[in-house]
Amino acid sequence: MACVLAVRAVMPPASDIVKVAIEWPGANAQLIEIDQVLLLTLSHTHAKKPLASIVREVCDGWSLSGSEQFALRYAEGPQLYITEQNRGDIKNGSILRLAISPMRAARQLLERIQSHGIDARLEALKELAKLSADPSFATEFINMEGLATLARLVESGTHFGEMLAFTLTAFLELMDHGIISWDLISVSFIKQIAAYVNQPMVDVSILQRSLAILESMVLNSHSLYQRVAQETTVTQLITHLQVSNQEIQTYAIALINALFLKTPEDRRQEMASTLAQKHLRGIILNHIIRVNRPVKAEMAHQLYVLQVLTFNLLEERMMTKMDPNDQTQRDIIFELRRIAFDGDSDPSGTEKRKAIYIKDYKMLGFTNPVNPAIDFTQTPPGMLALDNMLYLAKVHQDTYIRIVLENCSREDKHECPFGRSAIELTRMLCDILQVGELPNEGCNDFHPMFFTHERAWEEFFCVCIQLLNKTWKEMRATAEDFNKVMTVVREQITRALAMKPPSLEQLRVKLRSLSYSEVLRLRQSERMSQDDFQSPPIIDLRERIQPEILELIKQQRLSRLCEGSCFRKLGNRRRQEKFWFCRLSLNHKVLHYGDLDESPQGEVPFELLTDTIPVSDIKAVLTGKDCPHMKEKSALKQNKEVLELAFSILYDPDEALNFVATNKYEYCIWTDGVSALLGKELGSDLTRSDLDTLMSMEMKLRLLDLENIAIPEAPPPVPKEPSTYNFTYNYG
């Protein structure tokens, strides 16, 4: 007897029941509840109530016999069949439809496809193209040899137009389920599909599906790749790129990419040369990238794949070490020296010539001037770096000579080592462009500028090496700063690439605008952005700094109270009478105040302020309408400005010292200062503004990179003592 356990502890009971509506043509919908509780036995897991039982109950509700001939499907969306495997995906409130079972549907469609009536066959193929996306139906249809039937229809060559398009669509959908292998496809079928692609004039829908089928063949079977490569021509595929239909262009590039990807490594360079001879790059540039329409996501992905596969041709050179004993390879380095120092005649003596060469190679910036070949033994970048340097020296000779001679004329500590820089830059570019890595699914990060030049990689290097030299000068870098410079250059390049410049010339413009100072500004701006301020380290830093800033504000407020302020004294007749002055003692223990005949000029001595209030007697500070002198009827008639500037200090025994500040600043200073004396929080608008300003400045200073700032090794000298100490306060 099997042990059965109801698995309900996994989720709340309410989520085990889903309420759905089930439709049937010509009948009222049934509203039912489906129990999704799983039962766990020793042998397997299954639902408490099988779908077959649910279908039987639904059929009984409409008095339909033969429930085994029916199944449930979704009434909306892809309208997939519901099985025991996917029933858990049913959502509460879903609308389902009672339909004939996958087996019955497959049998009926297969019979209709083989019928003699053209209209009936067309409708059957149309329905088949839609149903073939369903895994349950596909399994049943393939088990009935339905796929072979479709293949024979294609091989016969008697189907055209819509009928052929639906046939090819159904075939591709069925094969995409992976139920049977592509290797079982016949040669005659391949020839027929290839014929549709190679024909100059063919229906767009047929051409689109034929290209997709050939792409799947190439990607899923090595033997079929060879057959497809024989049957299709690159010339015809490139012709399809010159049409106005972007869907056809996308499928054509996808097939080219598939052939490129599956070509054996020893023949990929040959295929790349063939594509170059057929002007693939120029056709893509003029018919896809530069046309007046947006590049769709799938097209962008295929262009990205082509870009990656093209750059991957550099992998062999990137992973090839230089042989220091190979004279042919050493001659390339000698050629770099010759171009840079062509005017120098070779000395006659061997030892003297060797010394001159070592000096020149050092000026060229090689790490190993005695034997520069050793610099190219690390992979990556291997020989690819030397290829780049030679291209620069030969194609952009003036630029090469200028870079080399510029650094030769600098002080030793500020010279930019060209050789080391070129090698490291090549490694960096390989990493940025992911040379040697397979394309990522879903990525569409292609760069239009790489389709504007036959030697895009080399030209890209030439632009970047000039950037490196420029950044080195802007940073006033030394040999110790080499890695720091490379980090900045990498950031400049990645930022420029993110802007997707349409040409290499536009790349130069973008890089010129991304100077070293601009990079620093962008870094600072990004650090100060809201997103960065929400990161845990920044929040923690703010929390640490804030008490210090608040204490600084508090001390400033108390310092201002010690200096004192002049206030207006309001009479009962609402006219301004005498002035009075108030200030805090330097030990923060007593408030001194007193009347004045006129507004004072400067600080008022404590001796003239005869009245005092000990801080320990202060109870609270009141503002606005809460002030005692503002509660009087005559005072309440004062204008709004007076009301906003009024505050009172309450002290024992139930007395109040009433203030009307001359402006909002003084009002905030005094209310904050008194609150600080009472140990309360400073809540004025001025405090919030000062806190934001000081916090922002302090955060910027804490996060600021120290660039080109000489930090002294010894502390600064202690200043001389003042001549007098009259500024001190005697607490006695």
Side-chain angles (χ1 to χ4, degrees):
M1 182 176 178
C3 177
V4 180
L5 298 173
V7 184
R8 283 187 178 272
V10 178
M11 58 182 70
S15 62
D16 294 336
I17 306 295
V18 291
K19 298 179 180 180
V20 300
I22 301 180
E23 299 176 337
W24 176 254
N28 294 328
Q30 295 188 38
L31 302 178
I32 68 169
E33 294 182 350
I34 299 179
D35 192 346
Q36 301 282 56
V37 176
L38 298 179
L39 295 180
L40 179 64
T41 68
L42 295 178
S43 57
H44 63 283
T45 302
H46 59 84
K48 180 178 180 180
K49 192 170 189 179
L51 276 176
S53 300
I54 297 173
V55 172
R56 186 182 305 112
E57 292 178 2
V58 172
C59 289
D60 291 343
W62 284 314
S63 301
L64 298 174
S65 59
S67 63
E68 66 278 0
Q69 299 294 320
F70 293 93
L72 294 177
R73 291 174 62 184
Y74 289 99
E76 301 170 339
Q79 300 183 8
L80 299 177
Y81 278 101
I82 296 171
T83 64
E84 293 291 355
Q85 288 72 33
N86 65 18
R87 64 180 291 176
D89 298 332
I90 301 175
K91 300 293 188 295
N92 206 33
S94 297
I95 301 176
L96 310 182
R97 180 163 59 89
L98 186 67
I100 59 174
S101 66
M103 180 183 294
R104 185 178 173 188
R107 184 180 300 110
Q108 289 182 359
L109 282 176
L110 191 56
E111 292 172 356
R112 291 164 59 193
I113 288 170
Q114 295 172 325
S115 66
H116 296 291
I118 301 246
D119 293 340
R121 189 184 302 176
L122 178 61
E123 286 301 315
L125 288 169
K126 184 176 181 179
E127 188 175 346
L128 175 64
K130 185 178 179 181
L131 271 175
S132 295
D134 189 289
S136 302
F137 172 84
T139 302
E140 298 294 343
F141 189 79
I142 291 173
N143 289 340
M144 296 176 184
E145 301 295 327
L147 202 57
T149 302
L150 294 181
R152 286 194 296 270
L153 292 176
V154 174
E155 292 168 12
S156 67
T158 58
H159 285 60
F160 304 98
E162 274 191 312
M163 191 173 293
L164 179 58
F166 288 133
T167 303
L168 296 177
T169 301
F171 181 89
L172 185 58
E173 290 284 358
L174 291 168
M175 290 300 299
D176 281 347
H177 291 292
I179 298 172
I180 66 171
S181 171
W182 282 91
D183 289 319
L184 300 177
I185 304 301
S186 66
V187 174
S188 58
F189 181 85
I190 299 172
K191 286 180 176 290
Q192 187 62 50
I193 297 296
Y196 296 139
V197 172
N198 293 329
Q199 288 176 14
M201 297 294 292
V202 69
D203 185 85
V204 170
S205 57
I206 295 173
L207 177 59
Q208 178 179 318
R209 289 158 179 78
S210 298
L211 288 167
I213 290 172
L214 292 179
E215 180 197 2
S216 295
M217 288 180 180
V218 172
L219 293 177
N220 290 286
S221 171
H222 179 69
S223 60
L224 291 188
Y225 150 73
Q226 295 176 324
R227 177 60 64 177
V228 172
Q230 292 173 5
E231 298 295 336
T232 56
T233 63
V234 172
T235 302
Q236 189 58 44
L237 291 179
I238 292 179
T239 301
H240 293 315
L241 297 179
Q242 301 178 53
V243 300
S244 59
N245 188 318
Q246 191 171 121
E247 297 296 325
I248 296 298
Q249 292 174 323
T250 303
Y251 281 104
I253 292 184
L255 180 53
I256 291 173
N257 286 338
L259 291 168
F260 206 160
L261 184 63
K262 292 299 180 178
T263 299
E265 292 186 10
D266 57 345
R267 291 178 51 201
R268 284 184 188 173
Q269 198 68 51
E270 178 186 343
M271 182 174 181
S273 300
T274 302
L275 295 175
Q277 292 171 6
K278 302 296 182 181
H279 308 292
L280 174 65
R281 179 195 60 78
I283 291 172
I284 290 175
L285 184 66
N286 295 321
H287 291 84
I288 297 176
I289 297 176
R290 288 183 174 172
V291 294
N292 190 23
R293 67 182 176 195
V295 176
K296 295 180 181 179
E298 182 56 31
M299 172 61 82
H301 173 67
Q302 294 302 332
L303 292 175
Y304 155 77
V305 172
L306 181 59
Q307 173 185 292
V308 171
L309 295 176
T310 302
F311 283 145
N312 281 356
L313 296 173
L314 304 168
E315 184 180 11
E316 182 181 356
R317 294 293 285 173
M318 181 182 75
M319 301 308 295
T320 300
K321 295 182 180 181
M322 187 173 189
D323 183 0
N325 300 316
D326 189 325
Q327 187 58 43
T328 304
Q329 296 178 356
R330 290 168 63 90
D331 287 343
I332 300 176
I333 300 178
F334 183 79
E335 181 69 5
L336 292 175
R337 177 203 165 274
R338 185 195 65 77
I339 295 173
F341 309 109
D342 188 44
D344 301 339
S345 58
D346 287 344
S348 55
T350 304
E351 290 298 324
K352 194 171 182 180
R353 184 186 299 114
K354 184 177 180 181
I356 293 293
Y357 284 1
I358 292 175
K359 178 183 175 183
D360 289 348
Y361 289 142
K362 184 176 181 181
M363 293 171 68
L364 279 172
F366 288 111
T367 306
N368 299 278
V370 177
N371 187 2
I374 297 176
D375 288 18
F376 301 96
T377 55
Q378 185 177 1
T379 57
M383 290 294 290
L384 184 59
L386 186 58
D387 296 342
N388 287 341
M389 295 165 70
L390 186 62
Y391 181 88
L392 174 68
K394 287 192 170 184
V395 179
H396 300 279
Q397 192 171 115
D398 292 343
T399 300
Y400 168 69
I401 294 173
R402 177 177 56 79
I403 291 175
V404 173
L405 296 184
E406 256 187 21
N407 288 290
C408 292
S409 61
R410 290 183 195 168
E411 301 176 34
D412 286 344
K413 65 176 183 177
H414 288 297
E415 64 182 11
C416 177
F418 170 74
R420 182 185 177 190
S421 299
I423 293 170
E424 194 59 36
L425 178 63
T426 302
R427 180 186 291 109
M428 179 197 298
L429 297 183
C430 289
D431 183 53
I432 291 174
L433 297 177
Q434 300 179 327
V435 175
E437 298 183 16
L438 290 175
N440 293 324
E441 286 294 332
C443 182
N444 54 9
D445 189 25
F446 86 98
H447 298 280
M449 68 178 185
F450 291 132
F451 293 88
T452 63
H453 201 285
E454 291 293 347
R455 303 293 295 273
W457 165 263
E458 291 85 352
E459 289 294 323
F460 182 47
F461 168 82
C462 293
V463 172
C464 293
I465 193 67
Q466 295 177 70
L467 168 72
L468 193 156
N469 193 57
K470 172 176 171 286
T471 303
W472 185 282
K473 289 188 289 185
E474 291 174 347
M475 294 178 65
R476 296 185 55 80
T478 62
E480 290 76 16
D481 301 319
F482 184 85
N483 291 333
K484 191 174 185 179
V485 174
M486 296 307 298
T487 300
V488 174
V489 170
R490 184 187 185 98
E491 184 173 346
Q492 290 170 314
I493 293 171
T494 52
R495 285 183 183 273
L497 288 177
M499 301 179 200
K500 297 296 178 69
S503 66
L504 289 163
E505 185 56 40
Q506 284 295 313
L507 174 68
R508 289 188 180 91
V509 174
K510 301 292 185 187
L511 290 174
R512 275 198 294 268
S513 66
L514 284 169
S515 62
Y516 175 54
S517 58
E518 177 65 12
V519 169
L520 291 181
R521 189 192 68 78
L522 290 172
R523 284 180 179 177
Q524 190 67 22
S525 175
E526 289 167 2
R527 282 194 186 127
M528 294 298 107
S529 68
Q530 188 63 29
D531 290 341
D532 283 348
F533 269 106
Q534 298 306 315
S535 62
I538 300 298
I539 292 175
D540 181 62
L541 181 59
R542 285 179 64 88
E543 291 176 350
R544 291 186 182 187
I545 293 175
Q546 185 163 318
E548 301 174 13
I549 302 298
L550 287 173
E551 181 62 26
L552 180 64
I553 295 173
K554 174 183 174 182
Q555 293 303 323
Q556 189 269 343
R557 301 295 192 262
L558 294 175
S559 177
R560 282 285 292 109
L561 262 62
C562 291
E563 294 176 8
S565 298
C566 182
F567 299 94
R568 293 178 297 170
K569 199 169 186 180
L570 299 180
N572 291 334
R573 292 189 297 270
R574 295 175 295 169
R575 63 181 180 83
Q576 185 173 344
E577 298 179 341
K578 295 182 179 180
F579 295 96
W580 67 285
F581 197 89
C582 184
R583 64 181 295 196
L584 178 67
S585 64
L586 298 181
N587 62 2
H588 300 171
K589 292 184 177 181
V590 179
L591 276 178
H592 298 261
Y593 65 98
D595 294 338
L596 300 175
D597 293 331
E598 58 183 15
S599 179
Q601 301 295 322
E603 189 176 278
V604 177
F606 288 108
E607 292 77 10
L608 298 180
L609 306 175
T610 57
D611 297 315
T612 60
I613 299 175
V615 171
S616 58
D617 290 346
I618 297 177
K619 293 181 177 180
V621 57
L622 303 179
T623 60
K625 294 181 180 180
D626 295 331
C627 301
H629 60 311
M630 288 292 109
K631 291 182 179 180
E632 299 174 9
K633 184 176 180 181
S634 59
L636 284 173
K637 293 182 180 179
Q638 298 291 334
N639 59 40
K640 183 179 180 182
E641 180 182 356
V642 172
L643 191 63
E644 290 179 348
L645 300 178
F647 64 96
S648 299
I649 293 177
L650 301 184
Y651 63 96
D652 286 336
D654 297 326
E655 297 288 339
L657 184 61
N658 303 315
F659 298 75
V660 176
T662 55
N663 52 54
K664 188 70 173 178
Y665 176 79
E666 289 293 333
Y667 170 83
C668 293
I669 289 290
W670 275 85
T671 53
D672 282 343
V674 177
S675 296
L677 290 173
L678 298 177
K680 296 183 179 181
E681 184 178 346
L682 280 60
S684 72
D685 294 338
L686 182 62
T687 293
R688 285 190 288 271
S689 175
D690 288 348
L691 180 62
D692 290 341
T693 302
L694 294 173
M695 281 290 292
S696 177
M697 292 175 60
E698 186 67 18
M699 291 290 288
K700 289 178 180 179
L701 289 172
R702 297 283 183 104
L703 299 175
L704 184 66
D705 290 330
L706 293 178
E707 302 294 345
N708 298 321
I709 297 176
I711 301 177
E713 296 181 359
V718 178
K720 295 180 180 180
E721 293 187 7
S723 57
T724 66
Y725 287 88
N726 293 338
F727 54 85
T728 59
Y729 176 75
N730 187 354
Y731 291 97

